[in-house]
mmCIF file of all heavy atoms in Angstrom:
data_model
loop_
_atom_site.group_PDB
_atom_site.id
_atom_site.type_symbol
_atom_site.label_atom_id
_atom_site.label_comp_id
_atom_site.label_asym_id
_atom_site.label_seq_id
_atom_site.Cartn_x
_atom_site.Cartn_y
_atom_site.Cartn_z
ATOM 1 N N SER A 273 -29.011 8.743 17.327
ATOM 2 C CA SER A 273 -27.837 9.096 18.135
ATOM 3 C C SER A 273 -27.791 10.601 18.385
ATOM 4 O O SER A 273 -27.372 11.043 19.454
ATOM 5 C CB SER A 273 -26.555 8.613 17.462
ATOM 6 O OG SER A 273 -26.503 7.203 17.490
ATOM 7 N N GLN A 274 -28.249 11.385 17.416
ATOM 8 C CA GLN A 274 -28.325 12.835 17.619
ATOM 9 C C GLN A 274 -29.341 13.163 18.715
ATOM 10 O O GLN A 274 -29.080 14.007 19.571
ATOM 11 C CB GLN A 274 -28.697 13.535 16.315
ATOM 12 C CG GLN A 274 -27.606 13.482 15.270
ATOM 13 C CD GLN A 274 -28.055 14.046 13.931
ATOM 14 O OE1 GLN A 274 -28.917 14.925 13.867
ATOM 15 N NE2 GLN A 274 -27.489 13.530 12.851
ATOM 16 N N TRP A 275 -30.503 12.494 18.702
ATOM 17 C CA TRP A 275 -31.519 12.715 19.742
ATOM 18 C C TRP A 275 -30.955 12.367 21.118
ATOM 19 O O TRP A 275 -31.222 13.061 22.098
ATOM 20 C CB TRP A 275 -32.771 11.868 19.468
ATOM 21 C CG TRP A 275 -33.780 12.007 20.571
ATOM 22 C CD1 TRP A 275 -34.695 13.024 20.714
ATOM 23 C CD2 TRP A 275 -33.959 11.138 21.684
ATOM 24 N NE1 TRP A 275 -35.425 12.822 21.860
ATOM 25 C CE2 TRP A 275 -34.996 11.668 22.480
ATOM 26 C CE3 TRP A 275 -33.340 9.959 22.098
ATOM 27 C CZ2 TRP A 275 -35.438 11.061 23.646
ATOM 28 C CZ3 TRP A 275 -33.781 9.367 23.264
ATOM 29 C CH2 TRP A 275 -34.807 9.910 24.031
ATOM 30 N N LEU A 276 -30.159 11.300 21.177
ATOM 31 C CA LEU A 276 -29.540 10.923 22.447
ATOM 32 C C LEU A 276 -28.552 11.985 22.923
ATOM 33 O O LEU A 276 -28.233 12.049 24.107
ATOM 34 C CB LEU A 276 -28.820 9.579 22.316
ATOM 35 C CG LEU A 276 -29.705 8.336 22.214
ATOM 36 C CD1 LEU A 276 -28.865 7.120 21.838
ATOM 37 C CD2 LEU A 276 -30.462 8.091 23.505
ATOM 38 N N GLY A 277 -28.065 12.810 22.013
ATOM 39 C CA GLY A 277 -27.083 13.831 22.364
ATOM 40 C C GLY A 277 -25.657 13.302 22.344
ATOM 41 O O GLY A 277 -24.759 13.852 22.979
ATOM 42 N N ILE A 278 -25.436 12.233 21.603
ATOM 43 C CA ILE A 278 -24.105 11.611 21.541
ATOM 44 C C ILE A 278 -23.134 12.526 20.807
ATOM 45 O O ILE A 278 -23.476 13.120 19.789
ATOM 46 C CB ILE A 278 -24.187 10.229 20.854
ATOM 47 C CG1 ILE A 278 -24.948 9.251 21.759
ATOM 48 C CG2 ILE A 278 -22.791 9.698 20.510
ATOM 49 C CD1 ILE A 278 -25.181 7.882 21.150
ATOM 50 N N GLU A 279 -21.934 12.617 21.358
ATOM 51 C CA GLU A 279 -20.850 13.356 20.719
ATOM 52 C C GLU A 279 -19.652 12.431 20.573
ATOM 53 O O GLU A 279 -19.415 11.579 21.425
ATOM 54 C CB GLU A 279 -20.485 14.603 21.513
ATOM 55 C CG GLU A 279 -20.113 14.317 22.958
ATOM 56 C CD GLU A 279 -19.879 15.573 23.788
ATOM 57 O OE1 GLU A 279 -19.657 16.651 23.220
ATOM 58 O OE2 GLU A 279 -19.909 15.455 25.019
ATOM 59 N N VAL A 280 -18.933 12.590 19.474
ATOM 60 C CA VAL A 280 -17.717 11.814 19.237
ATOM 61 C C VAL A 280 -16.584 12.511 19.987
ATOM 62 O O VAL A 280 -16.336 13.695 19.788
ATOM 63 C CB VAL A 280 -17.399 11.711 17.738
ATOM 64 C CG1 VAL A 280 -16.081 10.979 17.514
ATOM 65 C CG2 VAL A 280 -18.534 11.013 16.990
ATOM 66 N N LEU A 281 -15.901 11.770 20.871
ATOM 67 C CA LEU A 281 -14.834 12.336 21.692
ATOM 68 C C LEU A 281 -13.442 12.010 21.172
ATOM 69 O O LEU A 281 -12.571 12.877 21.164
ATOM 70 C CB LEU A 281 -14.972 11.842 23.137
ATOM 71 C CG LEU A 281 -16.309 12.148 23.818
ATOM 72 C CD1 LEU A 281 -16.372 11.482 25.183
ATOM 73 C CD2 LEU A 281 -16.529 13.646 23.926
ATOM 74 N N GLU A 282 -13.210 10.763 20.774
ATOM 75 C CA GLU A 282 -11.895 10.332 20.295
ATOM 76 C C GLU A 282 -12.089 9.273 19.218
ATOM 77 O O GLU A 282 -12.998 8.450 19.323
ATOM 78 C CB GLU A 282 -11.065 9.708 21.426
ATOM 79 C CG GLU A 282 -10.744 10.643 22.570
ATOM 80 C CD GLU A 282 -10.071 9.932 23.735
ATOM 81 O OE1 GLU A 282 -9.531 8.807 23.548
ATOM 82 O OE2 GLU A 282 -10.093 10.492 24.839
ATOM 83 N N VAL A 283 -11.226 9.301 18.219
ATOM 84 C CA VAL A 283 -11.298 8.323 17.129
ATOM 85 C C VAL A 283 -9.895 7.977 16.666
ATOM 86 O O VAL A 283 -9.049 8.852 16.518
ATOM 87 C CB VAL A 283 -12.068 8.876 15.910
ATOM 88 C CG1 VAL A 283 -12.105 7.838 14.787
ATOM 89 C CG2 VAL A 283 -13.463 9.310 16.272
ATOM 90 N N GLU A 284 -9.670 6.712 16.439
ATOM 91 C CA GLU A 284 -8.526 6.227 15.675
ATOM 92 C C GLU A 284 -8.974 4.915 15.049
ATOM 93 O O GLU A 284 -10.029 4.387 15.413
ATOM 94 C CB GLU A 284 -7.275 6.061 16.540
ATOM 95 C CG GLU A 284 -7.430 5.078 17.681
ATOM 96 C CD GLU A 284 -6.229 5.078 18.607
ATOM 97 O OE1 GLU A 284 -5.935 6.112 19.209
ATOM 98 O OE2 GLU A 284 -5.595 4.008 18.712
ATOM 99 N N LYS A 285 -8.227 4.412 14.117
ATOM 100 C CA LYS A 285 -8.639 3.179 13.442
ATOM 101 C C LYS A 285 -8.825 2.069 14.480
ATOM 102 O O LYS A 285 -7.933 1.786 15.272
ATOM 103 C CB LYS A 285 -7.594 2.765 12.407
ATOM 104 C CG LYS A 285 -8.026 1.603 11.555
ATOM 105 C CD LYS A 285 -7.019 1.314 10.473
ATOM 106 C CE LYS A 285 -7.463 0.141 9.634
ATOM 107 N NZ LYS A 285 -6.484 -0.166 8.588
ATOM 108 N N GLY A 286 -10.029 1.486 14.495
ATOM 109 C CA GLY A 286 -10.329 0.397 15.416
ATOM 110 C C GLY A 286 -10.726 0.830 16.815
ATOM 111 O O GLY A 286 -10.917 0.000 17.690
ATOM 112 N N ARG A 287 -10.901 2.139 17.038
ATOM 113 C CA ARG A 287 -11.264 2.619 18.379
ATOM 114 C C ARG A 287 -12.089 3.890 18.251
ATOM 115 O O ARG A 287 -11.790 4.749 17.438
ATOM 116 C CB ARG A 287 -10.012 2.921 19.192
ATOM 117 C CG ARG A 287 -10.272 3.191 20.661
ATOM 118 C CD ARG A 287 -8.979 3.439 21.430
ATOM 119 N NE ARG A 287 -8.456 4.778 21.200
ATOM 120 C CZ ARG A 287 -8.909 5.884 21.802
ATOM 121 N NH1 ARG A 287 -9.888 5.819 22.663
ATOM 122 N NH2 ARG A 287 -8.373 7.059 21.527
#
Side-chain angles (χ1 to χ4, degrees):
S273 291
Q274 291 173 29
W275 176 82
L276 287 170
I278 291 176
E279 56 186 341
V280 176
L281 303 174
E282 298 173 19
V283 179
E284 60 187 61
K285 187 175 180 181
R287 190 178 77 80

